[in-house]
Amino acid sequence: MTTVEQQGSDDMSNDVGVRLKAVRTLRNISQRELAKRTGVTHSSLSLIEQGKVSPSVSSLKKILDGIPMTVGEFFTLDLQNTDQTFYSADELQDVGSDDLSLKLVGYNRKNRAMSFIIETYPPGADTGHDMMAYRGEEAGVVIEGEVEVIVGGQVRLLQEGDSYYFSTTLPHRFRNNSDRPCRVVSCSTPAKHF
């Protein structure tokens, strides 16, 4: 790129610069890598990201082709991802009932694609008398104690370290018949919205 067009530090150039840096970082591309992909100098990209230079539409398109991304995507991409990333133990939402504790990780995420749950079954606890079935898949691992898992016509007593993976269209149920608590970490798709 010969020059980087208009000098200036107005709001528009700042917005483009901040947005470009955020998109580049989101895509895990260094300034040097983007410069190599596009033929735009590293120093020019740095000036744009600092809001000291405002690129022309054609220069911006050239830069975005190296990401790759359209100009429309660039200006409409939601960079204000307000979804929480980390959760302390006391922030997990318990979506269980009665004695069964189901601590859902990411309960407050808007577009959750899975249910990741820490399940605690006290002695005698179960998921209910009726078998459950819905479209999706579930996998899990027993991290403490033991639990009886019924899937379709199969029954298996799983102990610490044992795991499972099945289609949730098959009727299934979990039950702790032992005299000590059982903990399972599970994941299912699509996300259950409790």
Side-chain angles (χ1 to χ4, degrees):
M1 184 168 161
T2 52
T3 64
V4 182
E5 289 78 22
Q6 310 160 20
Q7 294 287 335
S9 59
D10 59 9
D11 289 341
M12 183 61 167
S13 60
N14 284 336
D15 290 347
V16 169
V18 168
R19 182 167 281 276
L20 179 59
K21 183 175 182 178
V23 167
R24 182 181 57 72
T25 304
L26 185 66
R27 298 287 176 93
N28 202 24
I29 303 169
S30 70
Q31 274 186 352
R32 291 194 189 282
E33 175 63 25
L34 188 55
K36 274 197 275 185
R37 290 181 186 184
T38 62
V40 175
T41 66
H42 176 255
S43 60
S44 294
L45 286 173
S46 179
L47 290 171
I48 292 169
E49 288 186 1
Q50 293 173 40
K52 294 180 179 176
V53 171
S54 182
S56 67
V57 174
S58 62
S59 294
L60 180 60
K61 182 178 179 339
K62 183 177 182 180
I63 293 167
L64 296 177
D65 285 346
I67 290 182
M69 169 181 277
T70 68
V71 174
E73 289 170 329
F74 176 73
F75 285 107
T76 59
L77 182 66
D78 180 14
L79 297 175
Q80 298 300 317
N81 183 353
T82 57
D83 284 337
Q84 186 173 347
T85 301
F86 301 103
Y87 298 84
S88 61
D90 62 344
E91 290 179 298
L92 300 181
Q93 180 76 31
D94 192 341
V95 295
S97 58
D98 301 323
D99 291 338
L100 180 60
S101 171
L102 302 174
K103 297 226 174 168
L104 179 61
V105 178
Y107 179 83
N108 58 348
R109 291 183 71 90
K110 290 178 265 176
N111 298 312
R112 193 165 39 83
M114 64 179 168
S115 294
F116 189 81
I117 301 175
I118 301 167
E119 306 175 23
T120 304
Y121 298 84
D126 62 27
T127 54
H129 179 70
D130 295 332
M131 302 279 273
M132 300 176 286
Y134 51 91
R135 190 183 133 282
E137 295 183 320
E138 183 172 334
V141 62
V142 178
I143 57 172
E144 180 185 333
E146 61 185 40
V147 66
E148 178 186 75
V149 181
I150 304 167
V151 179
Q154 300 179 63
V155 179
R156 179 89 178 256
L157 182 63
L158 300 179
Q159 298 178 336
E160 189 174 317
D162 293 340
S163 54
Y164 60 88
Y165 190 118
F166 61 88
S167 168
T168 54
T169 58
L170 297 169
H172 56 281
R173 169 176 192 221
F174 296 77
R175 144 172 86 191
N176 181 358
N177 290 326
S178 76
D179 59 358
R180 61 188 198 123
C182 173
R183 290 186 51 198
V184 174
V185 173
S186 70
C187 184
S188 63
T189 61
K192 296 178 205 165
H193 294 279
F194 299 91

